[in-house]
Every structure is written in C-alpha cells, then in structure tokens.
C-alpha cells in the first residue's frame, strides 16, 4: 500500500484520494496508512528580494510493514530547486544536479534494469511540482529536505511570495517562518491566506522594524481542525506574503564580494500616454465562452483607459476587420462607441494571424508618422489568439521574420495565448524578439480576469527607453540593462560582477524618457556602505548577491535562447548550462538525480524543470512518461489519421500521445467522426497500393476519399486527391487542388492551399485540415492519398463517436513497467486504460500538417492489433456502407 506525503508550493502534506487507506489515531493525531507526519516546516529567508527557502518534512512509519511515502512539493514557476535530500534511519540520500542528457542516461540505465524510476515533472498556473517517493521499513523515520531559490518580482507596488498549503492531515509540529532583510528598510508587510479563519488570523504573527521583517504561522493541532475532535485539517489554500521597501531615492545599489545588484523603481512620476492596439482572434474556435470572456475583459479594460491614451481594435478571422481607420483618443464619446463595438464582436472563419498583426503594426507606423499620437508616448500591441495561423502566411518562422522587420524595435508586442491550442513557442519567441513577453490565458471561469489582470500590469507606463550604464572597464557579465518601458509598481533589477574583486565603489548613469522630459541621474555606492548594512548575519544566506546574479543571468540566457537560432542559440545554451551546474540550479537544461534505497540496491529518479510551452493544464502522473519520451515538442493538441493509416490521439493532460493503425482491405469505408448533436460526420474510404509490396508481402492502404457532412445544414464535402466537391441545397461546386480558393457560404468556410492542403469548418463546429500527399505519377507502387487532422475538437459534443471521435472526450492512462522491447530504440510498457492492461511500444508517427513532404516525428505509445483494447469494440465495428 502507498501513502502520500504532499507538500504544495512551499509545503504540503499527505493527500489521499481513496477510502481504502487504513486510518488510526495515535495521541489524537491522524495516522493514514500507518504513516504519521509529525514535523513540517517552511523556513524562508529573503535578503534584498532574493528568497532562499527550505522545506523540511519528517514522518514515521507506525505500521508493521514497509510503506511507500510520497513527497510532493509545488513550487513557484520562477523558482530554481538547488538541493534535495532524504534521510532514512540516519543515512542521507542526496540529490545531484547534472546536465540533462547525462541525467537521462542514468535514468535509462535504471529503466533497462527493469526499475520503474519515476520522472518528476508537472506544472500548473503559478506552480510546478516536485515529487519523490521512498519505501521505509516499519518503525523507520524519514526526513525530506528541499531547497529552492527565487528572485521576488515587484507587481503593483509590492513583492509577493506565494506558498501553497495543503496538508490534508493534522501535523503535530507545523510551521511557516519568513525572515526578511531589506537594506532600504521595510515600509509595509502583509501576510494572508485563503484558508485563514478568524481564529487562525490570530495565529499569524507579523512584525517589522527598519530593515527586518518577521512572519510566523504555527497553528496547534486543535487550531488545525475543521471542528472540535475532527481529524480533518483546515489548512488548505494559499499563504501569501507581500511587502515593499522604503524609497528615498529612485534606485538602490548594493555591492558584496565582487558582485553588485542595482534596483531601479522611481516613484511619483507622471504617467506616459499610451497607444494600444488590441488585436483579437475571432476565428471559429473562439466561439462560445472564449469570445464572451474576451468581450467581458475588453469592456472592463475600456473603463480603465485614460483620456490621454489612444487605442483601436483589430479583429482577425479569415479576414481582417478594423474598428477605426487609425488610432483614436480615448474621449468619453469614443469610449462609449468602443463599448458598442466590443459588444458586437463575434466569431467567424479561420485564423489570419499574420494579416491581423501586420495591420496593427502598419496602423501604429501611420499614427507616429502622421503625428496623430504624442511624441512621448508608449506604443503597445496586445494580441490574443487561441489557435494557430492557417490563412495567408501561416509559416510561423516567416511571420516572426516579417513582424520583427516591421516593428524594428519601435513598439512592444505582448502575445496572449488563450488555452492549449496555441503554438506557445511561436508566440513567446515573437514577443521576445519585439521587447515583449507571452502569457498563457488559462481556459477557466476567470479567464476574463486573467486578461484584465495582464492589461493592468502594462497599463501605466512611466518611462521609455530606460538604460542603466556601468563602466565597461570595471564591470563584466552585466545582466539586461536596457528596457523599452518601465511600468508603475514594477522594478528593474540589474546585476553584474567586478573585473577587480577588490574594487571598492561603482558609479552608474541612468537615463529614461518621461512624459515631460528626460530622466537622467548618476548613482554612486561604496562597498563599505553596503558592508555596514549587512551586519545582521542571521538574516543573510551565503553569497546571496552572487547567487542573485547567477539566477538572473540564467533566467535571461534561457529567455534569449528562445528567440535565438544556430550558433548564437548554442552559445546561450552553453553559458546557461555552465552557470546552472556551477550554482546547482535545476533549470530546463539540468536535472536533479535523486538516488534512493530500493531493495538491495539504489534506484534513480529524475526531477526536471518544465517550461510554460510544455504546460497543458493537468499534472502528469509521474510514471507516465520517462524524460526522453515526454512529448512536449508538438505545439498543438489534436487527433489525426494519415499514412497507411496511422491514427494519432493527443492526450494533453499527459503531454503525450497514443497511436494505432487500422489494417483493412481497399474499398472499406471507416467511420472516423460521428456527432449526432452537431450533425457532423466524417468517413474515409481506403485505397491500396498499385500492387502488393513483394518485400513486405502486404498491400498498404491509405485514405483515398474523405466525406465530411453536416446533416443539420445539408452540406456534403467530398475530397479526393484529384478534386474537392461541395454539395448543398443550391447545387454542386467542384474545385481542383490546382485552385487557390477561399470560399464562404452559410455555415461553411473552405480554404484551399494550392496542391498542399485545405481547411474546412462548418458553422461554429470543429475545423478540419486535409493534407494532400502526391507521389510521382509513374511510381510503380504508391498512389496519391489524403491525411485528416481535426482541430478544435472540443466544439463537438460529448456524444461523438468514431475511430477518432471517441477520443475527443478526456481520456486518461498510466504507463507502468517500462522495459526493453524487440527494438532497442523502442521500449515496451504496460498501459493501464479503462482498467485494462495493454502492451504498448514507444514509437513515432508522422505529422504532415506543416511539412507534407517530410513530416514531423510525434512520439507516442503504440497500441497493437488495430487498437484493440483502446478503441470501443473492435475495428470492424467502424466499417460503414458508404461515404455518407
């Protein structure tokens, strides 16, 4: 049996989902499955915004047999793990940070020995999860200790530390302790929790004086209970610490042991007027809640726009629509008119992202060239999309190139990706290339608040083109020191190191363009001045400024790496990796290898740091996907069938995919999608090669004809490698693959990308991409054939069936017992799916949507025998009599 010791964000304790666990009480303390957690502490030291956090958890096995204990910790996404160890009966098992590839090799050795070494990797909105488990003997004690560090960012005038508290068990000795030391002095300090009751409010002890701040939260067992004599814990939610520092000057410079950090956050500046263009995706996939929440957010944003600001809206579906010909001033009359426009926004067609963003850039260029906006003003582009470009220029690399060339560093681009259907890598790279950033908007009931919250962060620019200049002959390895905008309530942080470690002083020149004039001043700091401040050694942890510099440098190198290519990308990667290993940070380039006792030998597990581009909402089950098999490269989640025929089923909550083949005779028609609610059906007819492959002794089959229909609209579309035929109540229309067509009829949008692919959507339902595969006409064996890709399948109902359609509903699976297969490069495993055990093989299938000639390899777990055990029924159940 297993017991879970769950620590969330900074701390958590055991979470138990099943009633099968044995529950006893020792000294009136709840013991679950024989495991008692008797000590839990989160000790945080913050020095000059840099937080050093240690989570310690101690448990004892009060059962009479071995027990498995899980240690789960949710950490802020901005944090780097720096150390982990577990101590069992006086023996310590440390974690070692290694280059990711070296860690994978160690992991693969464990897998090849038949050990289920668990990969630890998951992420949520603000957090990512670290998990490790260990088997301890009866009566044994285990101590887990995890250390991580992060630089606290300033938002809306305060630094914030986020701590997730979710014990789900009473803990005899439970404590959160935070000590803060700020050389500038602390001006305010807050601590609050979403789970804090009136009684618990008095348990939070908070004090600050001059440079020191202290917070403690140490509830007794009775204070943790949900009711008198209850064994359930009240501690379930977020614990948040917020504070700010005193600011007598615009900046603060600190020097310690040959390194410096420079904080810049001027106050009481007049706000700059801003010019904002909102570029909004109105393609069919945004219909329903997404577009409603977008309208709601835009209406609230309009309430916050200042009268000195200029703004406009650009909408892109298949076509690009503008509200006004140019940016207009935010007068009360114009804002009222804008509200009417926003309320009328509705969805249509495909995703002409390129056309929308280029129109926005052209509009800003025209406004500046025509002096329609103030010379001293901040120009911002905010783009929101939930999909991928598929009209006009759809190659993301080409779009990035055109956008960067058009903006020329003049404006800041912010890309907001709504949901998980976006190519987040593309959005992030394009934003970073244009001095902005990307942000994921999570599809949830609060999506409108997320959109509005992002706007609030960038709604008050105070300075333009801020530069912090340091003497090059004295300083090296300076972090980013030029910024397009400085926003009210934020802070600019720059760090670097001295060429001469014995240098005693530093002079900095700061420049920025304000609303009325240029801000320019010089700051000087002596090492002795800083040394006098840092006398409170109990508040200081090690060479914190050096570690802050390393943290910030790695963070920015990883950011630069996203937008870089070729040799430049390799250089950024090498530097970030070197620093990650030197300072022992778990970053996307490193992994922590945790060695733990298992029977008579030790076992290895790996902790990786995920990136936002890998986020897909739900956490990954630890055993599901070994590091070298996790599918995180494909930017969009969809279902498809292509090739002879290969089915690919994306499983976003696993960041993975399942695949299977269907072997049936030429002429068979297969039901791929059948939705009785929307009336959408998709069937495909198989064709065979010109003859049997003598080497393989089989005749390969492919889809040579696809039929897509909407019974409610009485529309039928037949696609073959030769032509596309549309039949409805008005008659029949035929196109060839030599045509370049954009067709819009009632309930139907069809776009043909000449000799490559077509995109089809009906009403506000799912969209389909059909890829044309053409071979040499005189090829002795193969024929032309088709591939089908389903996008936005969530638009179809929960009653959808078919070889593809049945997987439009959420599915779950677990991978166990990974071991070597017949092919050394393709290990076998056991898949648990709907309480069935399936033997699966790790392999790859091709995605031809973007590269019809070569395709892209998609890693997946292959289910044998025509998908037996995975699909409902058997594959012959899906044979239908005709295409419609």
């Amino acid at each position: 049996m297993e017991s879970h010791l769950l620590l969330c964000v900074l701390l958590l304790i055991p979470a138990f989902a099943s009633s099968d666990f044995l529950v006893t009480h020792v000294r009136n303390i709840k013991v679950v499955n024989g495991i008692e957690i008797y000590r839990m502490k989160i000790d945080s030291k913050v020095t000059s915004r840099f937080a050093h956090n240690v989570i310690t958890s101690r448990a004892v096995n009060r059962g009479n047999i071995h027990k498995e204990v899980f240690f789960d910790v949710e950490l802020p996404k901005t944090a780097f793990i720096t150390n982990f160890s577990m101590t069992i009966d006086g023996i310590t098992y440390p974690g070692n940070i290694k280059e990711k590839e070296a860690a994978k090799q160690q992991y693969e050795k464990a897998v090849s020995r038949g050990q289920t070494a668990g990969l630890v990797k998951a992420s949520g909105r603000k957090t990512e999860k670290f998990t490790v488990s260990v088997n301890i003997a009866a009566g044994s004690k285990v101590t887990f200790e995890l250390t991580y560090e992060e630089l606290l960012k300033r938002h809306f005038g305060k630094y914030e530390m986020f701590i997730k508290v979710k014990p789900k068990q009473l803990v005899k000795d439970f404590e959160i302790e935070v000590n803060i030391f700020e050389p500038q002095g602390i001006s305010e300090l807050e601590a609050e929790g979403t789970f804090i009751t009136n009684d618990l409010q008095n348990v939070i002890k908070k004090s600050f004086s001059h440079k020191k701040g202290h917070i403690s939260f140490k509830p007794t067992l009775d204070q943790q209970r949900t009711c008198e004599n209850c064994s359930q814990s009240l501690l379930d939610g977020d614990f948040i610490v917020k504070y700010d520092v005193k600011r007598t000057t615009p900046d603060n410079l600190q020097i310690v042991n040959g390194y410096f950090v420079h904080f810049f956050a001027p106050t009481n500046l007049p706000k700059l007027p801003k010019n904002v263009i909102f570029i909004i995706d109105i393609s069919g996939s945004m219909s329903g809640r997404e577009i409603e929440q977008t309208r709601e957010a835009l209406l609230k944003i309009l309430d916050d726009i200042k009268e000195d600001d200029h703004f406009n809206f650009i909408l892109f579906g298949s076509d690009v629509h503008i509200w006004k010909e140019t940016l207009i001033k935010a007068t009360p009359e114009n804002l009222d008119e804008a509200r009417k426009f926003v309320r009328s926004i509705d969805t249509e067609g495909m995703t002409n992202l390129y056309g929308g963003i280029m129109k926005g850039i052209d509009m800003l260029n025209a406004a500046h060239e025509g002096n329609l906006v103030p010379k001293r003003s901040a120009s911002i582009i905010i783009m929101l999309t939930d999909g991928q470009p598929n009209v006009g220029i759809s190659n993301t690399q080409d779009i990035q190139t055109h956008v960067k060339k058009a903006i020329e560093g003049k404006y800041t681009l912010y890309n907001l990706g709504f949901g998980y259907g976006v190519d987040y890598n593309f959005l992030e790279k394009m934003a970073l290339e244009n001095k902005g950033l990307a942000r994921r908007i999570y599809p949830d009931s609060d999506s409108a608040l997320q959109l509005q919250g992002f706007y609030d962060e960038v709604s008050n620019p105070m300075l333009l083109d801020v530069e912090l200049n340091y003497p090059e002959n004295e300083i090296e390895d300076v972090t980013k020191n030029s910024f397009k905008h400085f926003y009210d309530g934020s802070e600019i942080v720059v760090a670097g190191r001295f060429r001469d470690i014995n240098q005693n002083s530093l002079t900095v020149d700061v420049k920025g363009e304000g609303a009325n004039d240029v801000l320019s001043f010089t700051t000087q700091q002596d090492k002795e001045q800083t040394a006098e401040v840092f006398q409170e050694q109990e508040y200081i942890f090690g060479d914190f400024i050096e570690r802050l510099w390393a943290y910030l440098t790695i963070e920015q190198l990883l950011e630069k790496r996203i937008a870089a290519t070729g040799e430049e990308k390799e250089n950024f990667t090498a530097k970030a990796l070197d620093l990650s290993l030197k300072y022992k940070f778990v970053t996307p380039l490193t992994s922590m290898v945790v060695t733990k006792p298992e029977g008579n030998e030790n076992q290895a597990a790996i902790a990786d740091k995920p990136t936002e581009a890998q986020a897909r909402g739900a956490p990954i089950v630890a055993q599901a996907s070994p590091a070298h098999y996790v599918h995180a490269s494909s930017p969009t989640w969809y279902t498809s069938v292509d090739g002879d025929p290969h089915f690919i089923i994306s499983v976003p909550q696993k960041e993975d995919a399942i695949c299977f083949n269907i072997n049936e005779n030429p002429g068979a028609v297969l039901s791929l999608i059948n939705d009785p609610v929307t009336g959408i059906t998709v069937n495909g007819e198989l064709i065979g090669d010109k003859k049997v492959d003598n080497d393989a002794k089989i005749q390969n089959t492919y889809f040579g004809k696809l039929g897509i229909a909407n019974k409610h609209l009485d529309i039928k579309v037949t696609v073959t490698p030769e032509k596309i035929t549309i039949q409805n109540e008005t008659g029949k229309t035929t196109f060839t693959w030599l045509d370049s067509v954009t067709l819009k009829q009632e309930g139907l949008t069809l776009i043909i990308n000449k000799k490559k692919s077509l995109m089809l959507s009906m009403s506000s339902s799912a969209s389909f991409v059909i890829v044309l595969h053409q071979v040499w006409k005189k090829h002795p064996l193969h024929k032309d054939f088709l591939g089908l890709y389903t996008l936005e399948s969530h638009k179809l109902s929960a009653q959808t069936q078919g070889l593809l359609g049945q997987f439009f509903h959420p599915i779950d699976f677990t991978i166990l017992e990974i071991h070597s297969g017949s092919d050394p490069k393709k290990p076998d495993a056991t898949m648990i799916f709907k309480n069935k055990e399936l033997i699966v093989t790790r392999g790859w299938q091709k995605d031809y949507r973007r590269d019809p000639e070569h395709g892209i390899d998609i890693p997946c777990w292959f289910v044998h025998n025509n998908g037996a055990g995975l699909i409902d029924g058997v594959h012959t159940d899906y044979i239908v009599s005709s295409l419609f």
Side-chain angles (χ1 to χ4, degrees):
M1 297 181 69
E2 294 180 349
S3 170
H4 289 254
L5 179 65
L6 181 61
L7 250 96
C8 266
V9 180
L10 264 55
L11 91 243
L12 276 52
I13 322 179
F16 307 99
S18 168
S19 60
D20 296 336
F21 292 101
L22 172 67
V23 178
T24 60
H25 290 80
V26 176
R27 301 189 310 278
N28 202 30
I29 300 171
K30 185 177 179 182
V31 177
V32 182
N33 191 29
I35 299 296
E36 177 196 342
I37 300 119
Y38 61 91
R39 168 74 166 149
M40 173 69 59
K41 181 173 183 180
I42 300 161
D43 184 10
S44 180
K45 288 184 170 62
V46 182
T47 305
S48 297
R49 290 72 147 172
F50 197 58
H52 177 87
N53 308 285
V54 180
I55 304 170
T56 305
S57 178
R58 292 175 181 167
V60 58
N61 180 1
R62 296 202 179 277
N64 54 12
I65 59 173
H66 279 72
K67 300 289 182 181
E68 189 81 359
V69 183
F70 282 78
F71 177 75
D72 295 336
V73 185
E74 289 186 46
L75 309 170
K77 285 185 176 179
T78 52
F80 291 154
I81 292 172
T82 63
N83 194 29
F84 172 77
S85 67
M86 51 188 168
T87 301
I88 304 170
D89 294 335
I91 302 174
T92 298
Y93 301 87
N96 296 305
I97 294 174
K98 296 186 177 183
E99 189 269 331
K100 190 176 290 288
E101 193 57 39
K104 284 182 185 179
Q105 291 174 6
Q106 181 169 342
Y107 180 82
E108 287 167 356
K109 288 180 181 178
V111 171
S112 67
R113 292 196 300 266
Q115 299 175 2
T116 54
L119 171 71
V120 185
K121 186 175 184 181
S123 75
R125 280 200 199 177
K126 292 183 176 181
T127 61
E128 55 201 30
K129 186 178 289 185
F130 171 90
T131 305
V132 70
S133 67
V134 66
N135 197 299
I136 62 173
S140 290
K141 294 181 178 181
V142 58
T143 298
F144 297 102
E145 185 173 284
L146 180 75
T147 304
Y148 69 91
E149 295 175 348
E150 66 171 325
L151 177 64
L152 303 181
K153 305 295 195 301
R154 188 170 185 255
H155 294 291
F156 305 115
K158 294 178 183 177
Y159 306 99
E160 180 178 300
M161 186 188 318
F162 175 78
I163 300 172
K164 180 72 96 181
V165 179
K166 197 178 179 69
K168 290 193 176 179
Q169 180 177 354
L170 301 177
V171 181
K172 181 182 177 183
D173 189 1
F174 180 94
E175 183 180 10
I176 300 174
E177 184 174 22
V178 180
N179 287 298
I180 303 170
F181 184 79
E182 288 290 349
Q184 291 170 262
I186 298 172
S187 62
E188 56 182 313
L189 178 62
E190 304 171 15
E192 57 190 23
T194 57
F195 58 89
I196 298 295
T197 62
N198 289 335
D199 291 337
L200 283 178
Q201 188 69 51
N202 297 325
V203 181
I204 300 176
K205 304 300 180 184
K206 178 185 67 175
S207 64
F208 69 94
S209 176
H210 302 299
K211 302 178 181 65
K212 301 177 189 177
H214 180 261
I215 289 172
S216 69
F217 177 65
K218 192 174 182 179
T220 64
L221 280 172
D222 287 338
Q223 290 169 331
Q224 295 175 42
R225 301 180 196 278
T226 55
C227 62
E228 189 175 354
N229 296 322
C230 289
S231 59
Q232 286 75 36
S233 175
L234 271 173
L235 309 185
D236 185 359
D238 302 333
F239 190 85
I240 301 167
V241 176
K242 295 181 181 180
Y243 75 93
D244 200 17
V245 300
K246 296 176 182 177
R247 301 181 193 279
T248 56
T249 59
D251 64 344
N252 178 256
L253 187 60
Q254 299 172 19
I255 303 170
V256 176
N257 295 338
Y259 290 82
F260 77 87
V261 60
H262 188 190
F263 301 103
F264 178 74
T267 56
N268 301 320
L269 294 175
K271 290 182 174 60
L272 277 164
K274 63 180 181 295
N275 317 306
V276 188
I277 292 188
F278 300 95
I279 303 176
I280 308 299
D281 183 348
I282 59 165
S283 62
S285 60
M286 285 283 291
S287 63
R289 188 168 73 163
E290 287 92 337
I291 201 68
E292 292 173 7
Q293 291 174 321
T294 301
R295 287 194 293 260
E296 179 186 344
L298 290 175
L299 288 171
K300 291 178 180 177
I301 286 170
L302 286 171
D303 292 338
D304 294 332
I305 290 182
K306 315 292 189 299
E307 192 163 354
D308 288 338
D309 295 340
H310 289 71
F311 72 105
N312 203 347
F313 296 101
I314 295 174
L315 313 178
F316 64 91
S318 295
D319 297 319
V320 176
H321 308 275
I322 59 174
W323 174 48
K324 297 292 184 181
E325 290 297 323
T326 186
L327 281 90
I328 64 168
K329 196 170 184 181
T331 64
E333 296 77 17
N334 287 337
L335 287 171
D336 284 341
E337 187 179 348
R339 292 183 183 96
K340 293 178 184 177
F341 174 78
V342 167
R343 291 188 185 101
S344 71
I345 294 176
D346 206 352
T347 57
E348 62 161 49
M350 305 302 181
T351 309
N352 188 1
L353 185 150
Y354 173 78
I357 196 167
M358 291 303 291
K359 186 66 179 176
I361 297 168
D362 291 343
M363 192 175 286
L364 272 176
N365 285 337
H368 281 278
E369 290 167 4
N371 295 317
L372 301 177
V373 294
K375 184 178 180 181
R376 281 205 172 109
S377 58
S379 292
I380 299 168
I381 299 171
I382 299 177
M383 183 182 71
L384 171 69
T385 182
D386 78 330
Q388 297 186 61
N390 49 43
V391 177
I393 296 179
S394 58
N395 181 284
T396 54
Q397 183 59 56
D398 291 344
I399 295 174
Q400 287 167 207
T401 301
H402 287 296
V403 168
K404 185 177 180 181
K405 184 177 179 181
I407 289 181
E408 292 182 317
K410 294 176 290 189
Y411 319 125
T412 302
L413 172 63
Y414 295 108
N415 289 329
L416 307 182
F418 205 135
Y420 302 109
V422 295
D423 183 343
Y424 193 87
N425 282 323
F426 157 61
L427 295 180
E428 185 173 35
K429 183 172 182 179
M430 185 164 64
L432 291 172
E433 286 180 335
N434 295 284
K435 302 185 178 182
L437 56 84
R439 179 78 57 83
R440 192 185 299 280
I441 303 300
Y442 292 86
D444 211 334
S445 58
D446 68 342
S447 295
L449 292 175
Q450 295 177 56
L451 289 167
Q452 186 186 1
F454 174 80
Y455 174 77
D456 290 344
E457 289 183 44
V458 300
S459 62
N460 292 311
M462 311 296 282
L463 293 172
L464 289 173
D465 300 321
V466 179
E467 292 189 1
L468 300 91
N469 296 309
Y470 308 87
E472 293 183 1
N473 61 332
E474 299 175 5
I475 298 298
E476 61 184 352
D477 297 329
V478 177
T479 61
K480 181 180 178 181
N481 64 332
S482 63
F483 303 83
K484 186 64 181 175
H485 297 144
F486 168 74
Y487 294 104
D488 190 25
S490 68
E491 182 174 65
I492 289 173
V493 183
V494 182
R497 58 181 179 179
F498 289 95
R499 295 180 183 275
D500 179 2
I501 193 173
N502 297 313
Q503 184 167 328
N504 293 318
S505 63
L506 179 64
T507 302
V508 186
D509 294 321
V510 181
K511 287 185 178 180
E513 194 168 312
N516 302 322
D517 51 25
V518 173
L519 175 72
S520 179
F521 65 90
T522 298
T523 295
Q524 186 170 9
Q525 177 76 0
D526 293 331
K527 185 167 68 174
E528 285 73 16
Q529 292 175 292
T530 305
E532 290 175 10
V533 172
F534 291 106
Q535 296 300 316
E536 309 292 338
Q537 287 302 313
E538 70 269 21
Y539 278 74
I540 311 302
F541 54 94
D543 297 327
F544 76 96
I545 287 187
E546 181 179 352
R547 294 192 65 80
L548 187 157
W549 165 80
Y551 171 97
L552 199 57
T553 301
I554 293 169
E555 189 178 60
Q556 292 178 4
L557 284 170
L558 293 173
E559 192 175 88
K560 290 178 181 178
R561 180 174 170 263
I562 293 170
T565 58
E567 186 176 344
E568 185 180 44
K569 183 170 186 172
E570 291 178 4
N571 289 337
F572 290 145
T573 301
K575 290 178 182 177
L577 174 60
D578 182 60
L579 288 173
S580 299
L581 293 173
K582 179 178 179 180
Y583 290 94
K584 301 188 184 306
F585 287 134
V586 176
T587 71
L589 302 177
T590 56
S591 297
M592 176 175 283
V593 179
V594 179
T595 303
K596 58 181 182 176
E598 195 69 26
N600 295 322
E601 56 182 308
N602 289 338
Q603 184 187 68
I606 292 180
D608 285 336
K609 184 173 180 63
T611 64
E612 182 57 44
Q614 295 170 317
R616 294 292 185 273
I620 305 167
V621 175
Q623 301 97 310
S625 301
H628 50 308
Y629 303 137
V630 169
H631 170 40
S633 58
S634 180
T636 301
W637 299 99
Y638 56 87
T639 58
S640 68
V641 57
D642 211 330
D644 59 343
H646 304 303
F647 290 75
I648 302 178
I649 311 300
S650 292
V651 186
Q653 61 267 37
K654 297 292 189 185
E655 291 185 351
D656 213 338
I658 302 173
C659 51
F660 61 94
N661 293 349
I662 294 295
N663 299 311
E664 199 41 72
N665 295 323
V669 180
L670 300 177
S671 172
L672 303 176
I673 300 168
N674 184 357
D675 182 5
V677 176
T678 64
I680 298 289
T681 64
V682 182
N683 296 327
E685 183 177 327
L686 294 173
I687 60 172
D689 280 338
K690 296 175 182 177
K691 60 181 180 179
V692 175
D693 186 337
N694 291 327
D695 293 331
K697 305 297 183 185
I698 59 171
Q699 184 178 21
N700 292 321
T701 55
Y702 314 85
F703 281 112
K705 187 182 291 186
L706 293 169
I708 304 175
N710 188 321
K711 296 176 182 178
H712 299 335
L713 300 177
D714 194 22
I715 298 174
K716 296 178 180 177
V717 180
T718 306
V719 184
T720 70
E722 292 76 39
K723 61 184 180 181
I724 301 100
T725 302
I726 303 169
Q727 186 173 349
N728 55 25
E729 58 185 11
T730 63
K732 185 183 291 187
T733 306
T734 301
F735 302 100
T736 74
W737 285 95
L738 295 175
D739 298 318
S740 291
V741 175
T742 299
L743 173 70
K744 293 183 181 178
Q745 297 179 349
E746 184 177 354
L748 173 70
T749 301
L750 176 75
I751 299 170
I752 300 176
N753 188 5
K754 184 178 178 180
K755 297 177 69 174
K756 291 184 179 179
S757 63
L758 69 83
M759 175 165 282
L760 173 72
S761 66
M762 292 185 177
S763 188
S764 59
S765 188
S767 299
F768 306 99
V769 174
I770 299 174
V771 174
L772 173 65
H773 296 276
Q774 290 183 309
V775 300
W776 176 45
K777 293 300 179 186
K778 295 183 180 181
H779 195 287
L781 188 62
H782 300 311
K783 299 178 183 178
D784 295 347
F785 63 96
L786 305 170
L788 173 72
Y789 297 80
T790 305
L791 308 180
E792 299 141 8
S793 57
H794 62 281
K795 299 294 182 182
L796 298 175
S797 79
Q799 299 177 39
T800 306
Q801 291 300 319
L803 284 168
L804 286 176
Q806 64 188 290
F807 299 107
F808 295 165
H809 324 313
I811 65 172
D812 193 19
F813 67 90
T814 301
I815 297 295
L816 302 172
E817 300 172 0
I818 302 170
H819 57 275
S820 299
S822 57
D823 184 339
K825 295 182 179 180
K826 297 180 179 180
D828 289 341
T830 299
M831 173 185 286
I832 307 299
F833 179 75
K834 293 183 178 179
N835 296 319
K836 293 176 287 189
E837 292 189 6
L838 310 178
I839 301 301
V840 294
T841 301
R842 193 62 179 181
W844 297 265
Q845 298 290 10
K846 290 285 188 182
D847 172 359
Y848 291 98
R849 279 179 313 139
R850 298 194 176 181
D851 186 352
E853 184 177 355
H854 303 102
I856 299 171
D857 285 332
I858 301 296
C860 61
W861 292 106
F862 183 81
V863 180
H864 302 272
N865 302 321
N866 293 302
L870 177 72
I871 63 173
D872 293 336
V874 295
H875 81 280
T876 53
D877 295 339
Y878 298 88
I879 298 177
V880 294
S881 59
S882 65
L883 207 58
F884 295 104

